[in-house]
Amino acid sequence: MSFIKKSAKRIQFSIFITAWTAAIFWAGWQSPTLIGGPFLTQEPEVKLAQFYPLDKFVISITGEEYPHYLLLEMAFKSRSSNVARTIKAADPVIRNSLMKMFSKKHFNELKNAQQFEPLQKEAHVLLSLVLAENNFDIELDDVLFTRMVIQ
């Protein structure tokens, strides 16, 4: 009989330890949802860059013998949330700034393929400045010339 009592106590103790271990494991696994707060891991939301194309436009460029024309298609790269609305509202300012920038360029300067990257950077700096001066709240990550034809 003492053997049965000892066996029953061992079984009860084993069941108690198993149940205790399972409860601790479950509580540890569920602790972020049970306790919440600082234990929840929330990573900051990374905003993906969006691309916003502009309508194409033609700009007159001075040349040696006669005037030339530049067909320009471009897009803005931005992570701001209000870009489409801002671009639409700022379209006249954007076009005017780009026309002024390109009207100061000479045909020979623009036909050089090595000038493509510096022109994009110049346009990016110019447009960021002009948009800020005119109180348009937008962050331009990049200005991309998607098509540039000079005749």
Side-chain angles (χ1 to χ4, degrees), residues 27-81:
W29 181 53
Q30 293 293 322
S31 65
T33 56
L34 293 174
I35 299 170
F39 296 109
L40 290 177
T41 56
Q42 292 181 348
E43 297 194 16
E45 185 178 325
V46 177
K47 291 184 179 180
L48 297 176
Q50 299 279 331
F51 296 91
Y52 302 91
L54 271 69
D55 292 334
K56 60 185 169 189
F57 55 100
V58 178
I59 303 169
S60 179
I61 305 294
T62 57
E64 294 294 327
E65 298 176 28
Y66 50 88
H68 296 271
Y69 297 97
L70 168 72
L71 171 71
L72 184 63
E73 291 181 14
M74 57 190 301
F76 292 154
K77 176 183 171 187
S78 179
R79 288 179 169 76
S80 297
S81 59

Side-chain angles (χ1 to χ4, degrees), residues 1 8 17-18 24 28 31 38 45 48 51 54 69 73 81 83 86 88 97 113 116 119 121 129 139-141 146 151:
M1 183 96 154
I17 294 295
T18 304
I24 295 296
S31 65
E45 185 178 325
L48 297 176
F51 296 91
L54 271 69
Y69 297 97
E73 291 181 14
S81 59
V83 178
T86 304
K88 189 173 183 177
S97 300
F116 194 72
L119 280 172
K121 289 184 186 211
L129 181 67
E139 289 184 37
L140 292 180
D141 293 342
T146 55
Q151 293 182 339

Side-chain angles (χ1 to χ4, degrees), residues 2 36 44-45 58 75 78 84 88 90 94 101 104 136:
S2 72
E45 185 178 325
V58 178
S78 179
K88 189 173 183 177
I94 292 169
M101 181 185 111
K104 296 175 184 174
F136 289 107

Side-chain angles (χ1 to χ4, degrees), residues 126-138:
L126 174 71
L127 290 175
S128 295
L129 181 67
V130 166
L131 290 170
E133 285 176 353
N134 289 284
N135 299 321
F136 289 107
D137 185 29
I138 183 175

